[in-house]
Amino acid sequence: MDTQQNTALTRALAEVPGPLPTSGVIHIAIPHTDRFTIVGNHLAQHPDLSCTAVGLAVRIQSLPQGTEISIKALTARCQEGEKRIAAALRELEAHGYLQRFRHRLPGEKVATRTLFCNQPAALVRLRSQMPSPVPVPEQPQAQPQAHAPQSEAESESGSGVEPEPEPEPAPLPPAPPVPAVLLTVATVASPPPPPFVPLVPPPTAPKPPRPPLPRPGTLTPELDRAATALLSDLRRHAPRFTLSEGDIRQLVPPVATWLERDAHPDTIRRTLIEDLPQPLRHPVKLLKHRLTALLPPPLPGACDLAAPARPRIVVTPFQTCDDCDRAFRSPAPGHCRDCRETREHRGEDVRTAA
């Protein structure tokens, strides 16, 4: 069976007209006579659609009118799962090939209808070229014109010349017919939704640059010696962190930054070698990541830790009234409010009597 197929392909290759390309695919095109679907290159070679979306669009386009193309129906027909089919339908909907809308049925039921257009760009261009309806003003009815009375000779002979008929206005050329399906799509289609943005970037997406390794303000000889000793001592606690001299020289500045920020060497060691991923393939990359991502802030100074000064609250002391011995708040001893009002009234009565 394989030999026959290879022989048939070899014979067909010999009949391909023109020179063959030196590399790449060689097409053997046999015209279809039945059971075929025309697919445009705008869909087959779409730069922003995935291969799953393109294949699903071709499958939908080849189905007869009225076939159900829900996610579950397509999952039963295709080998892809529901998640991949749902993502492909969202891509087609974002680029205008697919449109879903709500349709109210007689009663209170609502159904979801799906429209598929094989050329969304041509549909948008057709909608923009459709003329807007212009109201036609009503023409007044022609009134009969008053004719002059004929002379007796003309009435007797009856040989009067008939007036020439007025030329009728030329009819306007009929507008090109628009398919009913396109009119339905143009009427029902709503503004396109925002483009589909995947939550997970594709593997070919450019990765953000790595942050630079931290560096101390001043790499003193003491910090350099302590950082070198700490990195060289890691292999005693974890043999997988046996570092070369070049790796140690790269990691000395970030470790010195930790020491400059008063981090204890035991704390730095535990942060670097504990809770390791399995398997550990790149020890140096892991150390660089942890030294950069887990860098503690500088310790605050004594002035930063001082409690903020509270506003002073003045408490008014209690006083005892000289007349009624009632307690009241006042900065100085004297009389309460009632006694002061009583004294004022008495003074007014005396002054009035005088």
Side-chain angles (χ1 to χ4, degrees), residues 50-86:
S50 62
C51 293
T52 305
V54 173
L56 193 62
V58 175
R59 172 65 67 90
I60 295 175
Q61 191 171 341
S62 65
L63 296 175
Q65 192 94 311
T67 305
E68 185 180 359
I69 56 171
S70 62
I71 297 178
K72 293 188 178 298
L74 293 175
T75 305
R77 290 173 174 268
C78 308
Q79 297 182 359
E80 287 77 8
E82 292 187 3
K83 292 185 179 180
R84 294 189 63 183
I85 289 180

Side-chain angles (χ1 to χ4, degrees), residues 210-216 223 226-228 230-232 234 241 243 246-261 263-274 276 282-298:
R210 295 180 180 179
L213 293 175
R215 304 188 64 85
L223 289 176
T228 304
L230 191 149
L231 292 170
S232 302
L234 287 180
F241 288 99
L243 306 177
D247 296 336
I248 292 177
R249 296 314 308 169
Q250 290 183 7
L251 297 175
V252 161
V255 175
T257 307
W258 282 63
L259 295 173
E260 187 182 41
R261 299 188 178 188
H264 197 274
D266 294 339
T267 304
I268 301 176
R269 186 181 301 108
R270 287 194 302 269
T271 304
L272 295 180
I273 67 175
E274 289 184 355
L276 299 178
H282 304 284
V284 179
K285 291 184 179 180
L286 177 66
L287 294 179
K288 290 181 180 180
H289 170 72
R290 291 190 172 185
L291 289 172
T292 304
L294 304 178
L295 179 65

